[in-house]
Amino acid sequence: MRCTRRCLSVLAALALTSALTACASSSGGGGSSRGRDAPISAEELEKWSNEDLFTVIQRVRPTWLQSRAIHTGIGRQEISVVLDGVVQQSGLDLLRGFLADAAREVSYMNARDATTLYGTGMSAGAIVVLTKR
């Protein structure tokens, strides 16, 4: 898959958002909030190479999976999954079939930032996966 200019722009915006989120979470004093919000790096993912991403997130950053969903007239909105800049329809189920060693970085994006970057339907936030390809 070749990355177009739009794809590169989205990835650059994602990287900037991820970096800003990490900086903001580390400035609040005490290191505990940084670990909870920091992206899962390639080095950390290598330790879990035989596990699926859902299991890794569940063990390393469990707060990312806590329900922040809102109830709407048409049902409950779940956490979205964005894979290499593309919103995935399968949601969290995609993470169960995706091995950790195939990812370069995994991060959490709050609802406001995810909606700004990817549009509506992100009211529960998003887990963003960048692959090694």
Side-chain angles (χ1 to χ4, degrees):
M1 179 175 119
R2 295 184 68 191
C3 220
T4 64
R5 286 185 188 204
R6 184 176 190 290
C7 177
L8 290 174
S9 296
V10 169
L11 289 176
L14 178 62
L16 178 61
T17 302
S18 181
L20 291 174
T21 302
C23 289
S25 65
S26 65
S27 64
S32 61
S33 67
R34 166 116 171 86
R36 193 169 20 112
D37 297 332
I40 304 172
S41 67
E43 293 80 28
E44 196 169 2
L45 289 165
E46 284 178 17
K47 297 174 190 174
W48 299 90
S49 62
N50 293 328
E51 299 286 341
D52 64 81
L53 277 179
F54 186 87
T55 301
V56 173
I57 294 167
Q58 196 172 37
R59 292 183 180 161
V60 179
R61 305 285 192 283
T63 58
W64 291 2
L65 299 173
Q66 289 177 351
S67 179
R68 296 166 191 81
I70 60 169
H71 296 277
T72 65
I74 56 172
R76 181 178 166 182
Q77 192 138 56
E78 298 292 330
I79 298 169
S80 298
V81 174
V82 179
L83 180 64
D84 289 330
V86 179
V87 178
Q88 302 297 305
Q89 298 300 317
S90 57
L92 293 176
D93 287 337
L94 172 79
L95 300 176
R96 294 182 199 280
F98 201 91
L99 287 178
D101 65 354
R104 179 171 36 109
E105 181 179 279
V106 181
S107 59
Y108 176 78
M109 188 176 288
N110 66 37
R112 180 190 53 178
D113 293 342
T115 299
T116 300
L117 195 56
Y118 300 108
T120 59
M122 299 283 174
S123 61
I127 293 177
V128 180
V129 179
L130 299 177
T131 62
K132 290 182 177 177
R133 348 179 197 147

